[in-house]
Amino acid sequence: EDQVTQSPEALRLQEGESSSLNCSYTVSGLRGLFWYRQDPGKGPEFLFTLYSAGEEKEKERLKATLTKKESFLHITAPKPEDSATYLCAVQAGGGYNKLIFGAGTRLAVHP
Amino acid sequence: DTAVSQTPKYLVTQMGNDKSIKCEQNLGHDTMYWYKQDSKKFLKIMFSYNNKELIINETVPNRFSPKSPDKAHLNLHINSLELGDSAVYFCATGGGTEAFFGQGTRLTVV
C-alpha cells in the first residue's frame, strides 16, 4: 500500500537555527513527490515537485531533496514567517493523479 | 483573482441535514478534486473528476455526491449529515502532476 510518513511531528526552532524535515515514502511507481506549506485556516500552498532520485529544488530558505526512499526539506536560517505545517505528498503510477499525503510537520520558529 | 474558490468558508449544521459546498476554478485545468482534512490534519482524497467525468472515488459513503456541471466547477453535496462528517473539505485542481488548493470549507455538524 502506498504510504507517506513525515517526521518529526512538530519542530520548534530558534530564528536562524537550520534544520531538516523528513518525508519517507513507500509507493509503487513514483510519479512525483510534492512539498506543500499550510498556514492555519488556509489551503495547502504548493512549494516543490521532485521527480527522480538526486533531484534538488530551492526556494528562498527552503531546499528539497529526493532519494529513492525519502525526501528532505532543509530550512536554512529560518525566520518566524516560516512557521507553518509542511506537508509531503506522493503521486503514484496509475494515471489518476491523486496525491497521498503525510500527516505533516508543524514548524514553529521563535525570534 | 482567486484561482480555486470554495463557498462557504464555514458551515455549521445539524445532524441529518443536507448541505452543499461549491467549488470553482479559473486555471483552465481538466482535473478537479475533493480532499478531506480531519481533526489530525490528515489530508485524504475523496473524489477526482477529469473533464466532468468521475475518475476516483475513494470508497466515500454514498451520502457524498460530487457534481461537475462543467470543467470549471465541482460541487460536493452531502446528505444526512453525521457528526463524523465534521472536517475541513478542500477543493483542488491540477493541470499535470501538481494540485492547487482552495481555502477550504470547515464543516461542523452538531
Side-chain angles (χ1 to χ4, degrees):
Chain A
E1 185 185 344
D2 300 330
Q3 200 168 347
V4 177
T5 304
Q6 291 188 247
S7 61
E9 206 172 296
L11 181 62
R12 180 190 168 114
L13 297 173
Q14 288 298 122
E15 185 172 1
E17 180 188 358
S18 301
S19 188
S20 296
L21 280 51
N22 177 263
C23 170
S24 60
Y25 61 91
T26 312
V27 66
S28 49
L30 179 72
R31 292 185 65 197
L33 184 139
F34 303 82
W35 283 98
Y36 284 84
R37 170 190 170 128
Q38 187 174 22
D39 292 297
K42 301 277 181 73
E45 177 190 340
F46 172 76
L47 292 174
F48 304 108
T49 309
L50 301 166
Y51 294 103
S52 56
E55 192 175 354
E56 297 182 354
K57 291 215 174 141
E58 281 188 71
K59 181 180 178 179
E60 295 179 0
R61 295 176 292 284
L62 300 177
K63 179 178 172 181
T65 61
L66 180 65
T67 72
K68 287 187 178 177
K69 294 274 172 69
E70 58 192 350
S71 176
F72 291 93
L73 184 66
H74 306 278
I75 304 176
T76 303
K79 297 183 178 182
E81 52 262 41
D82 294 322
S83 299
T85 296
Y86 290 86
L87 300 168
C88 172
V90 297
Q91 189 176 69
Y96 293 128
N97 289 346
K98 74 175 183 181
L99 294 176
I100 300 160
F101 280 87
T105 294
R106 286 191 319 279
L107 173 66
V109 182
H110 295 269
Chain B
D1 194 19
T2 306
V4 184
S5 61
Q6 294 178 230
T7 53
K9 185 163 179 171
Y10 300 98
L11 186 52
V12 181
T13 188
Q14 290 188 325
M15 273 191 340
N17 283 352
D18 302 338
K19 289 293 178 185
S20 292
I21 306 172
K22 295 186 177 181
C23 178
E24 177 180 2
Q25 58 109 350
N26 63 7
L27 295 170
H29 292 159
D30 286 337
T31 308
M32 294 186 74
Y33 312 85
W34 279 108
Y35 282 83
K36 178 179 179 180
Q37 190 169 44
D38 61 25
S39 56
K40 294 185 178 178
K41 305 297 182 188
F42 227 115
L43 258 173
K44 192 170 180 190
I45 191 165
M46 300 172 69
F47 300 103
S48 170
Y49 266 73
N50 185 274
N51 231 344
K52 301 195 297 173
E53 286 191 31
L54 180 65
I55 301 297
I56 298 173
N57 180 340
E58 288 286 307
T59 59
V60 177
N62 57 16
R63 295 183 295 104
F64 291 79
S65 52
K67 293 270 183 343
S68 182
D70 55 57
K71 214 171 79 164
H73 295 83
L74 180 62
N75 304 322
L76 184 65
H77 189 76
I78 316 169
N79 289 327
S80 304
L81 277 155
E82 301 177 357
L83 293 175
D85 297 331
S86 296
V88 182
Y89 293 84
F90 286 99
C91 176
T93 179
T97 54
E98 63 193 66
F100 297 90
F101 287 79
Q103 294 283 59
T105 296
R106 181 175 293 278
L107 171 65
T108 304
V109 182
V110 297

